[in-house]
Amino acid sequence: MTATVIDGKAFAATVREKVGTHVSRLKDEHGITPGLAVVLVGEDPASQVYVRSKGKMTVEVGMNSMEHKLDVDTSEADLLALIAQLNADPSVHGILVQLPLPDHLDSDLVINSIDPAKDVDGFHISNVGLLGTGQKSMVPCTPLGCLMMLRDHHGSLSGLNAVVIGRSNIVGKPMANLLLGDSCTVTIAHSRTKDLQGVVSQADIVVAAVGRPEMVLGDWIKKGATVIDVGINRIERDGKNKLVGDVDYDSCVAVAGAITPVPGGVGPMTIACLLANTITACCRANGLPEPDGLTA
Ligand code: GUN
């Protein structure tokens, strides 16, 4: 038996479709067009690709996309002034500052200057605290996408053993909080964990977000477990560039019950969830009910 392959690309398309339907409703019934502002400082090529892709998909679902591209040597004061302007602009419902920022800018200070209600990345310290205490918050996009796929596959996650490998603020920690919120028994493992294989082998759900190519092997995985691979690692193999996850797909697909591929798994869900968060923020800002199934 090989695992069910969870098709993140198809799932993300259904999320975007749902978002698009709600955008139409907001426009037709309330005269509101949700707006997402993305701020990019500098010319990091990977960030430019992400920002272009975000802008394109924002427009495709019918939202307004505002892109602010700033010079690499933009001062912190100028960046904070732009964020203050976006915070005050009622046509802007979501604000995303693309990371990483150039070294001379303090990312924590910048992120924490965003109005938490418009923080569609869910990185503001208020949103981190709200999520950690089980209150309504903006939820980081990648973990939200993983949660949506897990709920879709399992129905209820209650009582399942979940192991999150990786303790980043962007994925590992919020993922663990979301799984706790769905009543999983959660272990956060990381690069220093003793007997990582032994820990992973207990899991009904494995979320790998450690940033090490193909680290999780098939003989670590409990038979029938669900494996969510957040890793995106570029490696060279047989003289060719290849994109691989943190999971050794070929050995894990033979043991797991379900698995996300790389590419085409978690990746496409991140932008879909950014759009979902923008709708959520827009509805909350206008005192309107939030669409079902697009938040945690
Ligand atoms: N850079 C890479 N991923 C992300 C993300 O999810 N949000 C932001 N703001 N920057 C990123």
Side-chain angles (χ1 to χ4, degrees):
M1 192 194 77
T2 61
T4 300
V5 178
I6 299 176
D7 185 345
K9 200 172 162 196
F11 200 115
T14 67
V15 172
R16 289 198 305 273
E17 201 178 300
K18 222 182 221 182
V19 169
T21 303
H22 280 278
V23 172
S24 301
R25 196 172 301 164
L26 282 168
K27 283 182 181 174
D28 296 347
E29 294 176 13
H30 302 281
I32 300 165
T33 304
L36 172 62
V38 174
V39 180
L40 173 63
V41 185
E43 295 180 358
D44 176 69
S47 292
Q48 285 177 323
V49 172
Y50 284 134
V51 166
R52 237 191 331 270
S53 183
K54 284 168 191 165
K56 184 167 163 271
M57 293 198 183
T58 304
V59 171
E60 273 173 17
V61 295
M63 297 185 189
N64 286 331
S65 167
M66 302 87 151
E67 279 181 20
H68 295 268
K69 294 185 176 166
L70 307 181
D71 282 349
V72 69
D73 55 2
T74 296
S75 70
E76 201 160 81
D78 284 351
L79 178 56
L80 293 177
L82 171 62
I83 292 171
Q85 183 194 317
L86 297 172
N87 283 342
D89 184 342
S91 72
V92 174
H93 303 97
I95 302 170
L96 179 146
V97 177
Q98 184 67 28
L99 300 175
L101 286 170
D103 287 345
H104 68 284
L105 298 170
D106 178 342
S107 301
D108 289 336
L109 181 77
V110 169
I111 295 303
N112 290 328
S113 74
I114 297 171
D115 177 348
K118 298 189 179 188
D119 168 36
V120 282
D121 260 330
F123 295 166
H124 189 289
I125 191 69
S126 295
N127 283 315
V128 175
L130 290 167
L131 177 62
T133 51
Q135 300 178 71
K136 197 153 97 168
S137 67
M138 297 306 300
V139 178
C141 303
T142 300
L144 179 58
C146 295
L147 183 73
M148 283 183 187
M149 291 193 287
L150 285 166
R151 284 179 175 169
D152 182 67
H153 182 72
H154 285 271
S156 170
L157 306 182
S158 181
L160 297 178
N161 277 338
V163 173
V164 179
I165 314 173
R167 53 179 156 174
S168 71
N169 291 332
I170 292 180
V171 182
K173 288 177 198 162
M175 186 78 247
N177 273 322
L178 288 171
L179 291 165
L180 267 179
D182 272 27
S183 301
C184 289
T185 303
V186 181
T187 303
I188 305 180
H190 46 79
S191 55
R192 304 272 180 94
T193 295
K194 284 185 187 159
D195 187 19
L196 182 58
Q197 174 173 354
V199 171
V200 171
S201 70
Q202 302 296 308
D204 304 304
I205 292 170
V206 180
V207 180
V210 71
R212 294 200 186 173
E214 299 176 324
M215 188 184 78
V216 178
L217 304 175
D219 59 7
W220 298 20
I221 300 295
K222 182 161 102 174
K223 196 167 172 47
T226 300
V227 179
I228 304 291
D229 190 353
V230 180
I232 301 178
N233 308 289
R234 273 168 226 287
I235 62 160
E236 199 183 304
R237 180 171 294 152
D238 306 327
K240 286 183 189 154
N241 288 325
K242 201 171 177 247
L243 215 55
V244 299
D246 294 347
V247 168
D248 180 44
Y249 185 84
D250 290 342
S251 62
C252 289
V253 76
V255 189
I259 188 166
T260 59
V262 176
V266 174
M269 288 297 287
T270 298
I271 295 183
C273 288
L274 174 67
L275 304 176
N277 278 348
T278 306
I279 279 283
T280 300
C282 180
C283 290
R284 287 179 188 171
N286 289 283
L288 296 168
E290 295 166 29
D292 284 338
L294 294 181
T295 49

